[in-house]
Amino acid sequence: MSLPTKAKVVIVGGGIHGLSTAWKLSETYKNPGDIVVLEKKDTAAGASGIACGVVRNNYFQPAMRELMAHSVSVWESDPKAFKYNAVGYLQISPEVMHADVATIYEQQKAIGYESEFIEGEKDCMNYMKGMFDDWQAKGITSVLHEKKRWICI
Ligand SMILES: Cc1cc2nc3c(=O)[nH]c(=O)nc-3n(C[C@H](O)[C@H](O)[C@H](O)COP(=O)(O)OP(=O)(O)OC[C@H]3O[C@@H](n4cnc5c(N)ncnc54)[C@H](O)[C@@H]3O)c2cc1C
């Protein structure tokens, strides 16, 4: 395939980041050939092609939380086109992770991202049994439940 001799934007890499960037910039650069994506193998030949497809707002960096919340709003804008399948996301943790997960929950609340935080072994067991009646895991002292965030592609 021959490449154009010039373009307004050249993006190297046809993974999720390169293609998302091209998609966003296509709002500005509308003519065919304005944006060129160079991919050495194939679309999503790298990590994007083997990712599990899970979208969660469960990162320790606060900036990621706002980015993911924004991204979810984009996916929710056209679930069919983006194959967005909202089923929820659970972080089920032992005591050693309790404080860190509590921090994530506080940050989710601060940006209005819907989630529920259950604390204490007994309440966690009851909560999980409410979803899975054969739930048995011991030593779980926190459950962070993002109510509807998961993409499966
Ligand atoms: C097993 C696994 C599971 C994962 N699961 C999840 C998940 O559930 N949820 C989640 O959010 N994230 C997940 N991730 C992380 C996520 O997949 C990556 O963060 C994301 O795909 C990175 O996208 P990218 O576009 O930056 O890179 P890539 O997808 O790797 O794209 C880079 C592209 O650049 C091309 N390229 C490289 N060098 C050149 C060159 N010189 N010239 C031209 N092209 C070049 C490559 O061929 C490739 O196609 C997972 C990752 C892995 C490995």
Side-chain angles (χ1 to χ4, degrees):
M1 180 190 164
S2 65
L3 286 171
T5 53
K6 59 178 184 176
K8 293 210 163 119
V9 179
V10 176
I11 295 167
V12 180
I16 189 71
H17 289 129
L19 295 178
S20 301
T21 304
W23 182 59
K24 183 66 188 167
L25 289 176
S26 70
E27 292 169 6
T28 307
Y29 302 100
K30 296 178 190 289
N31 298 320
D34 275 355
I35 302 171
V36 171
V37 179
L38 299 176
E39 169 52 54
K40 71 174 178 181
K41 289 186 188 158
D42 211 341
T43 306
S48 300
I50 54 172
C52 308
V54 176
V55 170
R56 64 188 197 273
N57 200 322
N58 193 309
Y59 297 88
F60 287 112
Q61 305 90 334
M64 276 297 282
R65 208 163 322 295
E66 300 212 18
L67 176 65
M68 294 311 292
H70 172 74
S71 300
V72 164
S73 70
V74 174
W75 281 305
E76 284 181 332
S77 69
D78 194 345
K80 201 167 167 215
F82 296 126
K83 299 191 169 70
Y84 180 81
N85 179 24
V87 297
Y89 182 86
L90 285 160
Q91 176 157 0
I92 302 160
S93 312
E95 188 54 25
V96 69
M97 295 179 71
H98 190 156
D100 283 342
V101 182
T103 304
I104 292 174
Y105 171 64
E106 287 305 324
Q107 291 173 356
Q108 287 177 342
K109 250 195 336 191
I111 62 166
Y113 193 87
E114 186 190 351
S115 63
E116 192 171 344
F117 192 47
I118 297 93
E119 297 172 271
E121 194 163 355
K122 194 165 161 236
D123 285 351
C124 288
M125 181 63 86
N126 289 338
Y127 191 79
M128 293 309 299
K129 274 189 183 291
M131 270 183 282
F132 309 104
D133 57 12
D134 58 347
W135 181 260
Q136 296 180 31
K138 302 252 184 318
I140 300 300
T141 60
S142 71
V143 174
L144 179 57
H145 189 178
E146 289 178 41
K147 291 293 181 163
K148 55 178 184 167
R149 318 299 191 197
W150 179 324
I151 190 171
C152 202
I153 48 180

